[in-house]
């Protein structure tokens, strides 16, 4: 980089002096790690190419395996994990799955061949109760540190980090009941996935506590827009005035189903999503949803992984994070009885 203007631009973006920017760009000592990262981040944000001496610096490799990226919550997890790894001087290797593509097991073998220091699994086979957890035991026997995000399995000897799925349903049901709803449905994904099962249990517990509904309406489908359309159509026909969904994509499908059935959201039907994915605040109407604390979960998971990579003893078991109900325009008072 040359020119006073560019130095000034980077300095303003990073909140430091031009002299500090110059020291970082010339790889000089005496600059705090946090300050150095701020300057590098400013370079990246402004679209400047890093000098070769800085680009070449690559620390330990950490694998990051996530499901398909069509659900925007998974790119959000990937970005948060990568951000924390980068601040710790580690280089992430992102592995994304797609139907018919490379499997989780194949990715693990590839990562082992690349000599990674650890692996972060996001909503992987560990979350699927029909999958054999022995694959993770074999990984543990090889001495490779790894952590699990969303989907705790007590048979797997690894630190686990999850959102409180059961508690999230209590938040959603209580909100809808406070608005006068009594006929509340749940649109959820396959129950073999731990988060889906926990949501269903939490929903049924909350309905029993707040509504005393003997057989609450639950439709199991896929965590997709199409799955939401199918579940929404069935739950609307069952007379639900509000529907809680297992993902934001499902919620968008429910909104579509409502419109196809001549219903208005939220006048005729209230809808709650789950995740608070990027762009969800800009839907029409803006979606009320359960926000997963993605940044906090990823910070804790990566910090734990790095500690284990460094030889520290880290606690096993599950750390559960509290979600937050974000109220927007897709929920309102229950409509008058027909």
């Amino acid at each position: 980089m040359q020119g006073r203007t560019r130095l000034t631009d980077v300095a303003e973006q990073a909140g430091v002096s031009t002299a500090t920017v110059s020291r970082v760009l010339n790889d000089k000592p005496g600059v705090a790690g946090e300050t150095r990262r701020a300057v590098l981040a400013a370079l990246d944000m402004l679209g400047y190419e890093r000098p070769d001496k800085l680009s070449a610096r690559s620390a330990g490799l950490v694998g990051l395996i996530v499901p398909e990226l069509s659900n925007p919550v998974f790119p959000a997890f990937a970005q948060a994990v990568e951000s924390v790894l980068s601040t710790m001087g580690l280089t992430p290797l992102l592995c994304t799955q797609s139907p018919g593509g490379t499997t989780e097991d194949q990715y693990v073998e590839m990562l082992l061949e690349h000599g990674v220091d650890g692996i972060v699994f996001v909503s992987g086979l560990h979350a699927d109760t029909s999958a054999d957890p022995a694959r993770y035991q074999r990984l543990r026997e090889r001495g490779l540190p790894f952590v699990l995000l969303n989907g705790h399995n007590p048979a797997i000897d690894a630190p686990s980090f999850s959102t409180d799925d059961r508690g999230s349903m209590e938040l959603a049901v209580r909100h809808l009941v406070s608005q006068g709803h009594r006929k509340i449905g749940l649109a959820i994904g396959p129950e073999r996935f731990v988060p889906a099962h926990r949501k269903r249990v939490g929903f049924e517990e909350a309905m029993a506590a707040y509504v005393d509904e003997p057989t609450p309406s639950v439709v199991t489908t896929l965590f997709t827009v199409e799955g939401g359309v199918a579940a929404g159509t069935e739950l609307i026909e069952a007379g639900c005035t509000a529907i809680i969904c297992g993902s934001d994509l499902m919620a968008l499908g429910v909104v579509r189903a409502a419109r196809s059935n001549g219903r208005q959201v939220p006048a005729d039907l209230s809808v709650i999503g789950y995740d608070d994915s990027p762009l969800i605040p800009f839907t029409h109407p803006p979606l009320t949803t359960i926000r997963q604390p993605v940044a906090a979960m990823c910070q804790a998971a990566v910090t734990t992984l790095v500690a284990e990579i460094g030889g520290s003893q880290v606690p096993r078991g599950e750390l559960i994070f509290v979600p937050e109900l974000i109220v927007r325009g897709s929920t309102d008072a229950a409509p008058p009885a027909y």
Side-chain angles (χ1 to χ4, degrees):
M1 176 186 299
Q2 294 184 4
R4 188 74 184 172
T5 304
R6 291 183 180 181
L7 280 176
T8 303
D9 290 343
V10 176
E12 288 181 358
Q13 180 68 38
V16 299
S17 67
T18 54
T20 298
V21 173
S22 180
R23 294 187 70 82
V24 172
L25 295 179
N26 291 297
D27 205 20
K28 300 290 187 183
V31 180
E34 187 174 338
T35 303
R36 185 179 297 275
R37 288 191 291 272
V39 172
L40 294 178
L43 278 175
D44 296 340
M45 290 176 65
L46 294 172
Y48 292 129
E49 189 174 352
R50 295 187 187 186
D52 290 340
K53 64 169 75 74
L54 300 181
S55 300
R57 180 181 294 164
S58 176
L61 301 176
V62 172
L64 169 57
I65 303 180
V66 299
E68 39 72 32
L69 297 180
S70 57
N71 185 335
V73 76
F74 294 131
F77 268 104
Q79 185 171 14
V81 170
E82 289 187 330
S83 175
V84 181
L85 284 171
S86 296
T87 62
M88 294 184 171
L90 294 164
T91 303
L93 289 181
L94 178 61
C95 303
T96 59
Q97 301 173 73
S98 59
T102 307
T103 67
E104 178 180 312
D105 291 337
Q106 290 170 332
Y107 272 132
V108 168
E109 288 304 316
M110 292 166 54
L111 291 171
L112 290 171
E113 290 172 6
H114 278 82
V116 295
D117 294 323
I119 301 178
V120 178
F121 293 93
V122 179
S123 299
L125 291 173
H126 65 274
D128 187 342
T129 56
S130 68
D132 186 359
R135 55 175 43 88
Y136 297 102
Q137 187 56 36
R138 290 192 293 271
L139 203 54
R140 174 63 63 200
E141 289 167 357
R142 297 179 73 156
L144 185 75
F146 62 92
V147 294
L148 310 173
L149 278 161
N150 273 345
H152 178 63
N153 186 332
I156 300 174
D157 180 26
S160 178
F161 305 84
S162 307
T163 301
D164 184 358
D165 293 297
R166 289 174 66 175
S168 71
M169 293 298 101
E170 198 266 347
L171 288 175
V173 169
R174 189 174 62 193
H175 170 65
L176 292 171
V177 168
S178 74
Q179 294 183 313
H181 294 276
R182 293 298 180 268
K183 191 65 177 176
I184 303 169
L186 175 68
I188 195 67
E191 271 213 64
R192 72 176 195 273
F193 295 113
V194 173
H197 174 72
R198 287 178 167 181
K199 288 185 181 74
R200 177 169 187 152
V201 170
F203 173 73
E204 292 174 345
E205 289 175 344
M207 289 294 287
Y210 291 98
V211 184
D212 194 25
E213 180 75 22
T215 54
S217 301
V218 178
V219 175
T220 300
T221 176
L222 299 176
F223 284 113
T224 61
V225 172
E226 294 76 15
V229 171
T233 301
E234 187 173 335
L235 291 168
I236 289 168
E237 290 175 354
C240 291
T241 63
I243 299 175
I244 303 167
C245 303
S247 75
D248 288 335
L249 291 184
M250 294 181 83
L252 296 181
V254 169
V255 171
R256 182 181 294 179
R259 289 172 178 158
S260 298
N261 281 271
R263 308 292 175 88
Q264 296 294 316
V265 176
D268 303 312
L269 181 74
S270 287
V271 180
I272 296 181
Y274 191 94
D275 287 335
D276 197 27
S277 315
L279 301 183
I280 283 300
F282 306 103
T283 58
H284 181 70
L287 188 66
T288 296
T289 187
I290 300 290
R291 176 182 292 167
Q292 290 202 67
V294 173
M297 292 171 67
C298 293
Q299 178 74 47
V302 173
T303 301
T304 300
L305 180 67
V306 171
E308 187 168 358
I309 290 173
S312 299
Q313 288 290 324
V314 298
R316 300 289 192 255
E318 183 180 25
L319 192 61
I320 296 178
F321 289 75
V322 179
E324 181 182 2
L325 177 69
I326 307 299
V327 178
R328 299 192 180 104
S330 67
T331 51
D332 206 348
Y338 289 104

